Amino acid sequence: MLRKLLGALTSVFRGRQLDENLLLDLEEALILSDVGMDTTELLMAHLRAAIHKQRLRQADQVREALKQRIVELLGEETQPLRVSDEKPTVWMFIGVNGTGKTTTIAKVAYRLRRQRQQVLMAAGDTFRAAAQEQLGVWAKRVDCQLVQHQSGADPAAVIFDSLQAAKARGLDTVLVDTAGRLHTKHNLMEELKKVYRVVQRELGRLPDESLLVLDASTGQNGISQAATFGAAVPVTGIVLTKLDGSAKGGIVLAIASQLRVPIRLVGVGERMEDLEDFDPKQFAEGLFED
């Protein structure tokens, strides 16, 4: 999942002397790798200050300074999904259509079922009949329970019934699907707020996670999506999908710098097993492997 960003950084430093051309090439490589202008400018300002303050003279020294800053930016510890002491744990999944949200829910359910947890999927995307059908197929495939209403039903009612069922049956985890909200649509955002309030009311606490699912290949557009969704409901974590395909990898640094929301999971393939806990230290170290 690192090959494009890794290749860009490696080629900048290989066999180079520390001069202004190297710094300009590094800046360009970061921008082209979806790190984004704002985060790139912060990284470059840090490097230039380090060069001056620490009197760096070699390209390898700048490389190490950049590596150290990236580790600081990402942190060193994996931040797993939060689990409640009181059943059921509830994880909400939000995001626009096409990010891989429903597939992510299925992969999470698959992981939990392998841990012998009792899982319920709440089909809260009632605006698209296909979304409910897809979730139903996944529920059968991974052997978990499903609550759904007819197409066009009130999503908040689906979530209410799901939580009531989970509590009555003593289930471990509820995975809440929501409509692929177009983040420019005010009424759909209001509906999302309503669903969030229903979860809070029925649990007597906030959802254990409100996970924003972002497609890594969309680059900086994901940052704007996150800002808008974050204004509607508190986002507690990011699931970054399709990091194995056309994604350039720099979006990871942009999320860490601009959003300050932990990346919880990354999708790295099509198989059910291809959903991994994000390891920031491993990611940072991997960027500078020779």
Side-chain angles (χ1 to χ4, degrees), residues 52-69:
H52 176 73
K53 185 176 181 179
Q54 301 173 29
R55 298 184 178 182
L56 305 182
R57 296 291 181 265
Q58 299 178 6
D60 284 348
Q61 293 175 317
V62 175
R63 183 174 181 260
E64 286 303 308
L66 177 60
K67 176 182 176 180
Q68 180 180 352
R69 180 56 189 146

Side-chain angles (χ1 to χ4, degrees), residues 59-235:
D60 284 348
Q61 293 175 317
V62 175
R63 183 174 181 260
E64 286 303 308
L66 177 60
K67 176 182 176 180
Q68 180 180 352
R69 180 56 189 146
I70 289 175
V71 170
E72 292 171 355
L73 194 63
L74 294 176
E76 296 190 4
E77 301 298 327
T78 297
Q79 299 193 43
L81 296 173
R82 294 182 294 193
V83 177
S84 174
D85 293 331
E86 181 182 352
K87 292 184 180 182
T89 291
V90 177
W91 296 336
M92 286 183 59
F93 294 80
I94 61 179
V96 300
N97 288 330
T99 59
K101 179 161 51 66
T102 305
T103 303
T104 295
I105 292 173
K107 289 179 177 180
V108 171
Y110 174 77
R111 173 188 287 196
L112 295 174
R113 291 294 292 137
R114 293 188 70 180
Q115 297 169 2
R116 300 189 180 280
Q117 289 199 34
Q118 295 298 315
V119 181
L120 184 146
M121 292 181 180
D125 185 355
T126 61
F127 296 98
R128 294 189 307 125
Q132 295 191 78
E133 292 173 5
Q134 184 183 13
L135 205 64
V137 169
W138 283 122
K140 290 180 181 178
R141 188 173 299 179
V142 301
D143 187 28
C144 71
Q145 300 183 40
L146 174 71
V147 171
Q148 64 183 111
H149 288 190
Q150 64 183 7
S151 181
D154 182 359
V158 177
I159 306 311
F160 174 84
D161 287 350
S162 298
L163 295 177
Q164 291 294 313
K167 288 188 287 187
R169 301 168 192 171
L171 304 184
D172 298 299
T173 307
V174 177
L175 306 178
V176 177
D177 191 14
T178 59
R181 318 251 169 201
L182 299 172
H183 54 285
T184 55
K185 299 297 185 181
H186 174 75
N187 60 324
L188 293 180
M189 282 298 178
E190 290 302 312
E191 189 64 52
L192 180 59
K193 293 178 184 179
K194 181 180 176 182
V195 167
Y196 188 89
R197 290 195 300 269
V198 167
V199 174
Q200 184 177 0
R201 185 186 69 217
E202 294 306 311
L203 288 180
R205 65 177 193 272
L206 298 176
D208 300 290
E209 293 281 2
S210 298
L211 300 167
L212 177 62
V213 183
L214 297 177
D215 180 341
S217 65
T218 63
Q220 292 299 300
N221 188 44
I223 300 297
S224 62
Q225 290 176 25
T228 306
F229 277 93
V233 297
V235 175

